[in-house]
Amino acid sequence: MAKVNRPGSTSPPDGGWGWMIVAGCFLVTICTRAVTRCISIFFVEFQTYFAQDYAQTAWIHSIVDCVTMLCAPLGSAVSNHLSCQVGIMLGGLLASTGFILGSFATSLKHLYLTLGVLTGLGFALCYSPAIAMVGKYFSRRKALAYGIAMSGSGIGTFVLAPVVQLLIEQFSWRGALLILGGFVLNLCVCGALMRPITLKEDRSSSEQKCDCRTQKEDCKRASPYSPLTKEWAQTCLCCSLQQEYSFLLMPDFVVLAVSVLFMAYGCSPLFVYLVPYALSVGVSHQQAAFLMSILGVIDIIGNITFGWLTDRRCLKNYRYVCYLFAVGLDGLCYLCLPMLRSLPLLVPFSCTFGYFDGAYVTLIPVVTAEIVGTTSLSSALGVVYFLHAVPYLVSPPIAGWLVDTTGSYTAAFLLCGFSMIFSSVLLGFARLVKRMKRTQLPFLAKESGPKLQLWTNGSVAYSVARELDQKDGASVATAAPGYNLT
């Protein structure tokens, strides 16, 4: 059967089928991030059934979250080499299989492998490719599209949490895991919605890949087992990997990666220790749970409204600044938290922190796309979410160790706050240095001689004065009679 080549778009459509992509990504975030949060509802059931302590049982949730982030580059690679549709469908099958096998577990180790590793791997194959696909369909309304898509995490948690608790009461934890396994299969439907699109900037890379494939086919026709064929295969593999991950050498992306490490370290412990801190200052259990509900609902509002605001003409060119502003304000909220020791003070804190938490989560893929472009967005997001894994894994235990050592939450919250502020300051300083270099280029052009011309390509300036001098010397040599070049 002959392949049908669909004509690719030259620019993002900013609508049309793009809204179906947003809906698909919205469902992906529900089935991955919201379901991951709801696994913590099984904590008491697992602990009681298997008669294990807190530390052993808590590893289930940590493994799911960590594997999802650690394997995010693998999800991007599958999406790039096969297709986004295949990657998400495969991830849905793996995640569903993990839940179904977990319902038959006879020990916590079985849950580590099934509900932890297998389900986490499936979520990794779905999460970053779905988010990257939104960036390919939207340009002008990119932040709003991401705000709607990423709000699935908060909305899904808000809806699924009571539903999962009801399922556990009606069908036990085994039946609840079986039903969640069927629910997660909806990822396959989400994958079917991810219609591929070819943008103008994708064509150059695809042409290079086609050249590499044709050269490899020629070598196979000549001799499939010759050393030349193996050499071409290795060359093509290195070439494709170099194209996919060339952004790793970009200074802007390196700065973003380092800042993400500090940001991820700071943002995670609050969702673990807000309720215990509220209880320690005299807030009741019901009111402490209410603080978490406020945090989740305001997080949704921050996802959508901040995405809409940064798509306005007045803020569109300042999304990078808005991102570091949101991260910095969350850090300031952390610094104020040890002084808030009553419910009327903790409610405004939950509102403020939740709003700006939703704001910067929305802008992470937007800022990444501005740095690396839409062609490498899937691979770049895989690396960015990979960098979340280690801070997510170590920051809650470190904060708990500080609480045990000092006897209060002050040191833990201050460390998280300064970590997020440092992340924001690092990005701001890098942007300031880049702007100073750009402003210096015109002054260099004015101060130099008339033969010095500066050709700028991004932040690199090339001088062609030497070439002009060589041309002048050659013209003088041809004009002077009897001039011997030797």
Side-chain angles (χ1 to χ4, degrees):
M1 178 183 288
K3 292 184 179 181
V4 179
N5 294 325
R6 296 180 181 177
S9 302
T10 57
S11 60
D14 271 301
W17 191 260
W19 293 117
M20 294 301 296
I21 301 295
V22 171
C25 187
F26 177 83
L27 292 174
V28 167
T29 55
I30 290 177
C31 293
T32 55
R33 305 310 302 155
V35 170
T36 299
R37 291 180 180 181
C38 290
I39 290 176
S40 60
I41 300 174
F42 292 88
F43 186 92
V44 177
E45 301 294 328
F46 292 153
Q47 187 182 16
T48 304
Y49 185 86
F50 296 108
Q52 296 291 336
D53 58 9
Y54 283 89
Q56 296 289 331
T57 311
W59 274 106
I60 300 172
H61 187 276
S62 297
I63 290 173
V64 177
D65 223 349
C66 188
V67 171
T68 300
M69 297 303 176
L70 278 176
C71 296
L74 177 62
S76 300
V78 172
S79 175
N80 292 337
H81 289 280
L82 297 177
S83 72
C84 184
Q85 294 173 321
V86 173
I88 295 178
M89 288 181 179
L90 179 61
L93 290 174
L94 288 175
S96 178
T97 303
F99 273 102
I100 294 172
L101 292 178
S103 66
F104 298 98
T106 57
S107 68
L108 281 183
K109 292 181 180 179
H110 294 163
L111 289 175
Y112 293 162
L113 294 175
T114 56
L115 196 58
V117 177
L118 193 59
T119 299
L121 179 60
F123 286 166
L125 294 178
C126 301
Y127 190 54
S128 56
I131 294 175
M133 186 60 72
V134 175
K136 290 195 171 187
Y137 271 85
F138 287 88
S139 177
R140 291 184 295 106
R141 290 180 282 190
K142 182 179 290 185
L144 175 61
Y146 271 124
I148 297 172
M150 304 293 282
S151 65
S153 177
I155 295 175
T157 305
F158 186 74
V159 175
L160 283 179
V163 172
V164 170
Q165 185 62 47
L166 181 63
L167 291 175
I168 293 174
E169 294 173 359
Q170 294 293 326
F171 305 104
S172 79
W173 64 268
R174 295 186 185 274
L177 285 180
L178 272 175
I179 295 172
L180 279 180
F183 175 74
V184 166
L185 269 178
N186 285 297
L187 286 168
C188 297
V189 180
C190 301
L193 293 175
M194 301 296 168
R195 181 188 296 171
I197 183 174
T198 303
L199 301 177
K200 186 184 296 183
E201 52 191 79
D202 293 334
R203 291 179 178 175
S204 59
S205 60
S206 62
E207 288 174 359
Q208 292 176 357
K209 290 180 181 179
C210 289
D211 293 340
C212 187
R213 288 175 184 171
T214 54
Q215 291 174 353
K216 186 177 179 180
E217 290 295 329
D218 293 339
C219 291
K220 284 184 177 180
R221 290 171 186 172
S223 178
Y225 302 102
S226 66
L228 184 60
T229 304
K230 296 179 180 180
E231 184 179 350
W232 270 114
Q234 294 175 357
T235 304
C236 290
L237 179 62
C238 295
C239 181
S240 62
L241 289 176
Q242 185 178 3
Q243 290 175 2
E244 287 180 20
Y245 294 97
S246 59
F247 58 86
L248 292 174
L249 301 178
M250 297 172 61
D252 289 345
F253 185 80
V254 173
V255 173
L256 177 66
V258 175
S259 71
V260 162
L261 289 173
F262 288 94
M263 180 272 293
Y265 178 89
C267 71
S268 180
L270 182 79
F271 295 93
V272 179
Y273 294 106
L274 178 60
V275 171
Y277 173 73
L279 295 174
S280 69
V281 297
V283 177
S284 66
H285 284 80
Q286 187 177 4
Q287 291 172 338
F290 179 64
L291 290 174
M292 287 300 294
S293 299
I294 292 175
L295 199 66
V297 172
I298 300 299
D299 187 278
I300 300 167
I301 298 174
N303 282 141
I304 299 174
T305 59
F306 208 76
W308 178 82
L309 285 173
T310 51
D311 271 339
R312 300 304 94 195
R313 186 174 297 177
C314 56
L315 293 177
K316 200 167 202 176
N317 296 327
Y318 301 98
R319 290 168 175 167
Y320 191 95
V321 178
C322 292
Y323 168 77
L324 61 91
F325 176 75
V327 174
L329 281 180
D330 264 359
L332 289 176
C333 289
Y334 258 124
L335 300 185
C336 298
L337 183 56
M339 297 181 288
L340 309 178
R341 308 185 66 83
S342 65
L343 182 65
L345 294 176
L346 288 173
V347 169
F349 166 82
S350 294
C351 293
T352 306
F353 188 93
Y355 183 83
F356 288 107
D357 180 74
Y360 75 73
V361 166
T362 296
L363 290 179
I364 285 176
V366 178
V367 171
T368 306
E370 289 183 357
I371 292 175
V372 304
T374 56
T375 303
S376 303
L377 181 59
S378 179
S379 302
L381 283 177
V383 175
V384 168
Y385 291 127
F386 168 81
L387 294 173
H388 282 69
V390 176
Y392 277 3
L393 192 65
V394 302
S395 58
I398 291 176
W401 176 78
L402 288 173
V403 173
D404 293 335
T405 304
T406 61
S408 71
Y409 290 86
T410 302
F413 289 152
L414 290 180
L415 180 60
C416 293
F418 283 121
S419 178
M420 297 191 78
I421 290 174
F422 178 77
S423 172
S424 177
V425 170
L426 180 64
L427 288 174
F429 180 74
R431 177 54 62 97
L432 183 63
V433 170
K434 187 175 181 180
R435 183 167 294 181
M436 290 175 61
K437 287 183 178 180
R438 286 180 178 176
T439 55
Q440 288 177 355
L441 291 177
F443 293 105
L444 291 173
K446 291 179 181 179
E447 293 176 359
S448 56
K451 291 183 180 180
L452 179 62
Q453 300 180 16
L454 290 174
W455 299 84
T456 60
N457 182 11
S459 60
V460 184
Y462 300 94
S463 175
V464 294
R466 186 175 299 174
E467 296 181 3
L468 293 176
D469 290 338
Q470 291 176 355
K471 290 182 179 179
D472 291 343
S475 61
V476 170
T478 53
Y483 186 81
N484 190 6
L485 293 174
T486 59

